[in-house]
Amino acid sequence: MKIAVCIKRTPDSESRFKIAASSTAVDETGLKFDIDDFASYAVEVALQINEKQGPGETVVVAVGPDVVQETLRKAMSMGADRAVQLKTDAIPYDGLAVAKALAAELKAGNFDLVLFGKHAFDTSAGVVGTATAELLGIPCVTAATKLEISNGRGVARRELEGAAETVEFPLPAAVTIDEGIARPRYPSLKGIMAAKKKPLETKPAQLGAVRVTVKAMELPPERPAGRIIGEGTAAIPELIRLLQTEAKVL
Amino acid sequence: MLDFFNIDSLLSEDERAVRDSVRRFVDERVLPIIGSCYVDGRFPKEILPDLAELGVFGANLPEEYGCAGLNNVAYGLIMQELERGDSGVRSFASVQGALAMYPIYAFGSEEQKKKHLPRMAKGEVIGCFGLTEPDFGSNPSGMITMAREQADGTWILNGSKMWITNGSTAQIAVVWAKTNGDKSDSSIRGFVVPTDSKGFKSKDQKGKLSLRASDTSELVFQDLVLPADAILPKSGGLKSPLMCLTQARYGISWGAIGAAMACFEEALEYSKTRVMFDRPIGGFQIQQERLAEMLTEIVKAQLVSLHLGRLKDAGTFTPQQVSLAKRNNVSIATDIAREARRLLGANGILAEYSAMRHMANLESVYTYEGTHDVHSLVLGQALTGLNAFK
């Protein structure tokens, strides 16, 4: 199978974030970036499908400045065969603009399957996968927690609130991947060395018009300090009263 | 991990990728189990297949023998990350790569390399290294293990070795022995000894209070018959095993940094969350001084090992430079582990935290692979030209 995986480079989710002076972006100083978690699940799913189904090709694609080459090589060190960077100085916030660049690259590629992360950690927008599918005119399944492919058709499982559903669809198709589907493999040391020799192509990103931009960002308000209302059993009545009247959780 | 001096900027992309992959492995696979392995006195064998799959064994040896072909800085970073988990886990990898695979690579015939190295890289064959004897540790030239060549070209080996990491798990032992009755250290040769040979016995050393998550054994050879091709043809004299030790010590200089980093990170986190006298203990000057001291020594050690790695890759490093790095880095790591344990107060004595485990482990690392004191004398000789050993 010929599978494309669209991946994004995002900051480590355990970082302590600060807002940049512009107040419309995160201050990237000192942040560690890596392949987005959901994108890494998508890469793992693609590798497993091709390992199971015999010879195929897994191509990773990313939109962004030259630093995304490191993220693309990481996916190749996991096992992807080649990579395409759609070069732009900055990734626009508008998911449709990004989707247009991806669709322009993918449409001539004859891919059986195009995978995405469910959303990326930095924007949590979840637009690019569905919008790219629409531009390519192929069916799209979002937030898959299981994916099986056979005889030109796919079956995916989706978790709902309190239930799950199984959907089926013909290929070619786009699927966005949720967590829990597969544990991404460790890039092996040989894989890291091999990735340096795999092809990485750079092309200008044919971005669409950017119509949505960030106006302001803010961090959640600081939590007020805790307070000690007493000690031992004597404090219980007051604690219950405050939980009822102030915190309103009882 | 705090990178206060932006040392990452001195690493290449693939060096960082190697480090990050092993780091994630240690976080996910070693740290959750290592405390209980240590308490139980058990090496975590269950991680070996995945550790081999990752490619850490002999990672700086060439690809043609099934190894990853990494440079020495990437190799050092692997050792750092493994020892951030535990000195026992790093010791396993050091012994497999630098002490068992390296001598086969450096002194073995092409047949020996092709036979052993790919299987050792895959972890299918585990090796150990027999140099130290019960009465000859810092003075290996006094060894009494002897191999005698027979008329048919086979060898008969007699003697014993002690403090052998992986000794009871290994399928092959690289054993150093004097040959044909010659008691001078110039007669020392290396032999690849299958541990299922008749006359081979290994016994785990019990009662260790350090490196508890690692197997340490005594080896005994009694009229052990070895085929003619068991000898490592290019080995000759004490210099050969010492070359292996230089490789291993290089990795240890990095490994100790990992143990120190684990203790520092644990102490730093603890200092911010542990409240005493109504505020985090990190707000007290005495703990801040501890933390500042730890960080400073870690940064210095990182720069020493990194530069040493660059010299090793350039082929210009000297064993004396390795002595300096091993001596310094293990010494500062033992101090950092002890200070971290103290900062953690009573909690610091629990296996749930890592500081005391590292503290106890590092006492072995301080003593093995050339004791701290022996490295002082190596440096002393390099400086003065006067040999304190003779």
Side-chain angles (χ1 to χ4, degrees):
Chain A
M1 292 237 311
K2 201 168 169 194
I3 306 176
V5 189
C6 302
I7 65 174
K8 191 173 185 183
R9 178 178 177 270
T10 56
D12 182 348
S13 58
E14 286 177 18
S15 314
R16 293 187 76 167
F17 293 98
K18 282 185 283 196
I19 293 180
S22 67
S23 82
T24 58
V26 165
D27 179 1
E28 297 192 354
T29 318
L31 288 183
K32 192 167 157 47
F33 287 77
D34 200 350
I35 183 169
D36 189 76
D37 283 351
F38 291 102
S40 72
Y41 307 143
V43 171
E44 180 63 37
V45 168
L47 296 175
Q48 287 187 13
I49 290 171
N50 271 337
E51 280 162 2
K52 205 166 141 190
Q53 307 225 337
E57 188 185 33
T58 303
V59 182
V60 281
V61 185
V63 173
D66 286 347
V67 283
V68 302
Q69 291 181 6
E70 181 172 358
T71 312
L72 289 165
R73 270 191 291 272
K74 165 126 187 207
M76 290 195 287
S77 71
M78 291 171 70
D81 301 291
R82 63 183 175 90
V84 181
Q85 174 198 5
L86 301 176
K87 187 168 174 165
T88 169
D89 291 340
I91 305 171
Y93 178 83
D94 190 336
L96 185 57
V98 174
K100 285 190 172 160
L102 289 171
E105 168 63 21
L106 296 171
K107 66 179 183 224
N110 283 320
F111 290 101
D112 301 298
L113 193 60
V114 183
L115 300 180
F116 300 83
K118 175 177 80 166
H119 58 227
F121 163 75
D122 56 352
T123 60
S124 294
V127 171
V128 172
T130 47
T132 308
E134 178 63 21
L135 293 169
L136 292 171
I138 56 177
C140 182
V141 174
T142 55
T145 57
K146 210 171 172 184
L147 177 61
E148 297 208 350
I149 304 289
S150 59
N151 303 322
R153 293 188 75 77
V155 175
R157 180 184 165 94
R158 304 179 70 248
E159 306 298 326
L160 310 175
E161 191 71 40
E165 65 184 14
T166 301
V167 297
E168 61 172 336
F169 52 91
L171 299 185
V175 181
T176 76
I177 301 294
D178 204 347
E179 64 190 327
I181 194 165
R183 186 188 168 110
R185 65 195 62 191
Y186 303 104
S188 76
L189 309 187
K190 279 188 203 170
I192 291 167
M193 299 309 276
K196 295 201 291 189
K197 295 174 199 148
K198 291 181 179 175
L200 194 165
E201 209 181 339
T202 295
K203 304 174 179 178
Q206 297 174 40
L207 296 168
V210 179
R211 296 174 300 186
V212 184
T213 53
V214 179
K215 185 160 176 267
M217 287 187 96
E218 59 192 71
L219 291 172
E222 289 253 342
R223 284 198 311 178
R227 65 180 195 273
I228 296 166
I229 52 164
E231 273 190 25
T233 50
I236 293 175
E238 175 65 359
L239 180 64
I240 289 176
R241 191 186 70 77
L242 289 173
L243 289 172
Q244 284 171 334
T245 60
E246 199 173 286
K248 297 190 169 72
V249 291
L250 291 181
Chain B
M1 292 295 124
L2 181 61
D3 181 17
F4 197 74
F5 254 57
N6 195 15
I7 292 173
D8 266 18
S9 66
L10 302 175
L11 303 176
S12 70
E13 180 186 317
D14 41 301
E15 288 162 355
R16 278 183 282 119
V18 165
R19 191 260 325 267
D20 290 348
S21 204
V22 180
R23 179 169 287 178
R24 195 180 125 214
F25 182 90
V26 169
D27 284 344
E28 292 178 359
R29 303 292 307 281
V30 177
L31 293 182
I33 59 166
I34 196 67
S36 64
C37 287
Y38 190 88
V39 170
D40 297 343
R42 177 179 85 77
F43 175 74
K45 271 192 187 134
E46 62 272 30
I47 65 169
L48 285 186
D50 292 338
L51 210 48
E53 175 79 28
L54 194 58
V56 307
F57 299 140
N60 54 348
L61 299 179
E63 291 165 77
E64 59 177 308
Y65 301 114
C67 303
L70 301 183
N71 71 13
N72 286 293
V73 170
Y75 172 81
L77 289 163
I78 295 171
M79 297 297 126
Q80 170 189 291
E81 291 306 313
L82 293 178
E83 194 147 354
R84 199 173 56 79
D86 189 82
S87 302
V89 174
R90 198 271 306 139
S91 294
F92 185 98
S94 282
V95 168
Q96 178 78 350
L99 295 181
M101 294 172 74
Y102 173 79
I104 294 172
Y105 169 70
F107 310 121
S109 66
E110 200 52 39
E111 293 72 37
Q112 285 170 325
K113 292 188 219 185
K114 288 210 171 96
K115 180 179 171 192
H116 296 297
L117 293 180
R119 296 183 65 204
M120 294 177 82
K122 284 187 197 154
E124 293 167 5
V125 171
I126 303 302
C128 65
F129 176 86
L131 175 67
T132 296
E133 299 187 357
D135 295 321
F136 301 95
S138 293
N139 177 21
S141 64
M143 70 166 67
I144 51 176
T145 295
M146 186 65 74
R148 285 172 198 277
E149 194 170 12
Q150 306 301 294
D152 61 357
T154 62
W155 294 83
I156 294 186
L157 183 67
N158 279 290
S160 66
K161 298 287 175 183
M162 206 162 176
W163 306 113
I164 309 304
T165 301
N166 303 348
S168 58
T169 5
Q171 285 83 40
I172 59 170
V174 173
V175 174
W176 300 92
K178 289 180 178 165
T179 48
N180 296 328
D182 180 350
K183 288 186 183 159
S184 74
D185 63 25
S186 63
S187 85
I188 292 174
R189 307 292 298 269
F191 295 86
V192 179
V193 180
T195 59
D196 59 0
S197 305
K198 199 176 164 219
F200 183 99
K201 265 193 214 143
S202 69
K203 197 171 79 179
D204 273 343
Q205 292 177 238
K206 300 289 182 197
K208 281 187 300 171
L209 297 175
S210 174
L211 288 183
R212 289 185 52 77
S214 171
D215 294 326
T216 312
S217 320
E218 184 182 357
L219 310 180
V220 179
F221 325 113
Q222 194 175 11
D223 295 329
L224 190 155
V225 180
L226 286 170
D229 63 2
I231 194 165
L232 292 171
K234 288 179 245 165
S235 66
L238 185 62
K239 187 170 184 285
S240 301
L242 294 187
M243 279 170 69
C244 303
L245 293 176
T246 297
Q247 300 296 317
R249 287 166 185 166
Y250 165 74
I252 291 167
S253 86
W254 281 94
I257 299 169
M261 284 163 68
C263 295
F264 169 72
E265 294 282 338
E266 182 171 81
L268 179 60
E269 186 57 33
Y270 193 85
S271 76
K272 291 182 193 169
T273 52
R274 173 68 172 171
V275 174
M276 197 59 59
F277 300 106
D278 298 325
R279 59 176 165 146
I281 61 170
F284 293 103
Q285 291 181 358
I286 200 163
Q287 308 300 7
Q288 292 191 351
E289 208 234 339
R290 276 205 163 104
L291 293 167
E293 200 62 37
M294 291 182 194
L295 174 66
T296 307
E297 293 306 323
I298 288 172
V299 168
K300 283 150 72 178
Q302 284 170 329
L303 291 171
V304 165
S305 280
L306 179 58
H307 184 61
L308 184 63
R310 298 285 179 232
L311 294 177
K312 190 170 191 298
D313 280 331
T316 59
F317 85 141
T318 67
Q320 292 75 15
Q321 288 167 339
V322 178
S323 284
L324 186 149
K326 191 271 183 187
R327 180 179 181 275
N328 176 73
N329 293 6
V330 178
S331 177
I332 64 105
T334 55
D335 292 344
I336 287 169
R338 192 184 322 106
E339 289 304 317
R341 203 233 46 83
R342 289 175 179 167
L343 184 147
L344 264 62
N347 280 322
I349 70 163
L350 296 174
E352 183 187 335
Y353 293 90
S354 68
M356 189 150 176
R357 176 168 52 79
H358 283 299
M359 186 185 102
N361 278 340
L362 286 163
E363 286 299 319
S364 295
V365 182
Y366 189 91
T367 299
Y368 74 25
E369 296 273 357
T371 68
H372 184 83
D373 298 345
V374 162
H375 288 301
S376 304
L377 302 182
V378 169
L379 292 174
Q381 185 181 0
L383 290 170
T384 64
L386 305 170
N387 186 347
F389 299 105
K390 283 180 185 164

